[in-house]
Amino acid sequence: MSENILIKVRDLEVNFYNNERCNKVLRGVSFNLEKGKIMCIVGESGCGKSVTANAIMGLLPDLSRIEKGEIHFYDEGKDIRIDKLKRKGKEMREIRGNGISMIFQDPMTALNPVFTVGYQINESLLYHKMAKNKTEAKEQSIRLLKDMGIPLPEKRVDEYPYQFSGGMCQRAMIAMAMSCQPKVLIADEPTTALDVTIQAQIFELMLKLKNEKDAAILLITHDMGVVAELADNVAVMYMGNIVESGDAEAVLTHSAHPYTKALIQSIPVLGRGKKQDLQPIKGSTPDPYNRPKGCQFAPRCEFATEQCKEEMPPEMQLEPGHYCRCFHSLTGKVG
Ligand SMILES: Nc1ncnc2c1ncn2[C@@H]1O[C@H](COP(=O)(O)OP(=O)(O)OP(=O)(O)O)[C@@H](O)[C@H]1O
Ligand SMILES: [Mg+2]
């Protein structure tokens, strides 16, 4: 196994149990996160991106269960099975403190309402030994808020989360997650609703973390422009499966799965103006409680055959490092 792998997810299956109904949200997800690489996960709403991220953080809700599969964190020679750890246990908390950091999709839930924003950043800096004492921590907190484009940081640092707008909470949380220089950073739609300049600054900080600290970054985003600019690897998810994955260049420029192609044509690229020829993906995602038998995309796919409707396509290698779950990806039938 490559020494560069920090996170290895294998055949992960996660079910949610609601009112005695079972929703098979992840259906055999596998991927690696490597040192010094950014992997982007893309896919429509509800396909399982956040559940994948939360599983790595050991933060799945109580109504869900890991049914199968493995999540490994390779931390300085130690092989830690995250899927076996207690979600609220000491070991998991230590990993969340020292190894893997996450920027959550919903920033309001991640800051503690009873402490000032500055206090929370200070504590994080002191805990991770990024600052020697409280004075130094406060100086750094102010600088971090300033870097995130928060006006009047000297004043804002003493305010509570409820005094911050949603966008400012998000920026404070990003400052906190990045300031402890994690080995693995998981960013779940970190810049939604932030303006383009701030977004660019945040991506700049992520690149710095990747290049200077050799961190592995898992970036969940809807923005293909961001993917094209930042991703080393891309995983395309549909209804709980990774349907295509590989080098960003390969997946974006010679995508093989009909879903990947449709997705690329359907998503606007920020900053490219209104003149984009966007094609919405035909049909809608199936009811998760009443899934198709074979390929999950078959009901929406113009290339679907009887085999696609009956059998789930296995992962096939198209070229070194480029994988696809489509029976037609090797035949050249998919235009
Ligand atoms: N707390 C929960 N309770 C019940 N079901 C849930 C919960 N969280 C997720 N799910 C189920 O898991 C599926 C995947 O959810 P997830 O949040 O991972 O989607 P996502 O890909 O992150 O979507 P989005 O782009 O909208 O953030 C959802 O469609 C939903 O059915
Ligand atoms: Mg999500």
Side-chain angles (χ1 to χ4, degrees):
M1 194 191 66
S2 159
E3 276 176 15
N4 292 328
I5 296 177
L6 288 178
I7 299 279
K8 184 170 92 176
V9 177
R10 279 297 169 277
D11 213 16
L12 186 66
E13 294 185 8
V14 173
N15 292 354
F16 276 72
Y17 296 89
N18 279 329
N19 303 324
E20 289 172 28
R21 291 208 303 175
C22 167
N23 182 1
K24 297 183 175 179
V25 171
L26 299 187
R27 301 170 33 110
V29 168
S30 301
F31 61 87
N32 299 330
L33 295 184
E34 291 187 23
K35 277 183 197 164
K37 299 261 189 222
I38 298 183
M39 186 176 107
C40 285
I41 301 191
V42 294
E44 280 165 294
S45 184
C47 68
K49 304 182 297 292
S50 295
V51 169
T52 304
N54 291 333
I56 298 175
M57 287 302 281
L59 287 175
L60 287 171
D62 288 340
L63 72 162
S64 60
R65 199 161 70 205
I66 294 180
E67 302 291 333
K68 205 176 148 220
E70 300 176 1
I71 306 171
H72 298 259
F73 172 38
Y74 298 101
D75 188 17
E76 284 158 21
K78 274 186 293 177
D79 175 1
I80 304 169
R81 282 285 296 273
I82 289 185
D83 54 296
K84 298 267 190 217
L85 296 181
K86 284 213 187 73
R87 294 174 198 187
K88 292 177 186 153
K90 184 165 167 267
E91 264 181 292
M92 197 63 240
R93 281 207 312 274
E94 263 168 25
I95 292 176
R96 283 197 287 265
N98 278 321
I100 314 175
S101 248
M102 179 154 167
I103 302 170
F104 292 89
Q105 195 168 6
D106 179 4
M108 296 309 240
T109 56
L111 289 169
N112 190 331
V114 305
F115 298 110
T116 65
V117 172
Y119 176 84
Q120 297 183 58
I121 304 178
N122 293 351
E123 285 299 294
S124 165
L125 290 168
L126 290 167
Y127 180 87
H128 294 100
K129 302 193 172 51
M130 295 293 159
K132 283 203 233 33
N133 51 45
K134 282 190 181 161
T135 320
E136 205 181 292
K138 186 155 182 187
E139 278 167 20
Q140 278 195 40
S141 298
I142 294 172
R143 199 166 50 239
L144 282 165
L145 292 181
K146 194 164 170 225
D147 283 349
M148 289 288 151
I150 292 183
L152 301 175
E154 298 84 0
K155 178 172 162 280
R156 290 290 189 169
V157 78
D158 293 321
E159 290 184 350
Y160 289 87
Y162 76 87
Q163 294 170 291
F164 273 44
S165 69
M168 285 202 290
C169 278
Q170 200 166 9
R171 281 181 265 165
M173 201 180 65
I174 293 170
M176 221 157 89
M178 306 247 254
S179 65
C180 63
Q181 304 191 338
K183 292 170 189 144
V184 179
L185 177 72
I186 299 178
D188 193 354
E189 313 245 8
T191 58
T192 356
L194 294 180
D195 79 51
V196 188
T197 336
I198 306 286
Q199 234 190 62
Q201 279 170 18
I202 290 164
F203 290 139
E204 204 53 49
L205 289 173
M206 280 191 193
L207 284 173
K208 222 169 135 187
L209 191 66
K210 160 187 138 144
N211 293 328
E212 290 175 12
K213 304 287 166 199
D214 226 10
I217 300 178
L218 177 67
L219 175 61
I220 297 173
T221 175
H222 273 107
D223 185 347
M224 282 296 177
V226 169
V227 176
E229 208 168 301
L230 294 182
D232 296 294
N233 313 103
V234 178
V236 182
M237 257 183 121
Y238 188 73
M239 291 289 289
N241 279 118
I242 291 180
V243 295
E244 183 161 1
S245 64
D247 287 350
E249 162 97 26
V251 175
L252 295 179
T253 61
H254 40 279
S255 11
H257 200 289
Y259 179 65
T260 312
K261 290 175 198 256
L263 189 70
I264 289 173
Q265 280 172 11
S266 74
I267 300 182
V269 177
L270 275 183
R272 273 210 199 143
K274 293 207 170 86
K275 275 208 195 125
Q276 299 175 48
D277 181 20
L278 300 179
Q279 310 272 341
I281 305 177
K282 289 192 198 89
S284 50
T285 46
D287 173 7
Y289 295 102
N290 190 15
R291 286 169 173 271
K293 196 167 149 200
C295 170
Q296 303 293 290
F297 191 58
R300 302 169 83 179
C301 180
E302 59 180 303
F303 305 101
T305 55
E306 276 313 306
Q307 186 189 22
C308 306
K309 290 175 194 157
E310 291 298 317
E311 283 173 51
M312 170 68 96
E315 194 169 72
M316 292 172 252
Q317 179 165 324
L318 307 176
E319 57 194 307
H322 186 182
Y323 299 91
C324 182
R325 277 181 188 269
C326 170
F327 289 120
H328 306 302
S329 55
L330 289 171
T331 63
K333 233 203 287 176
V334 179

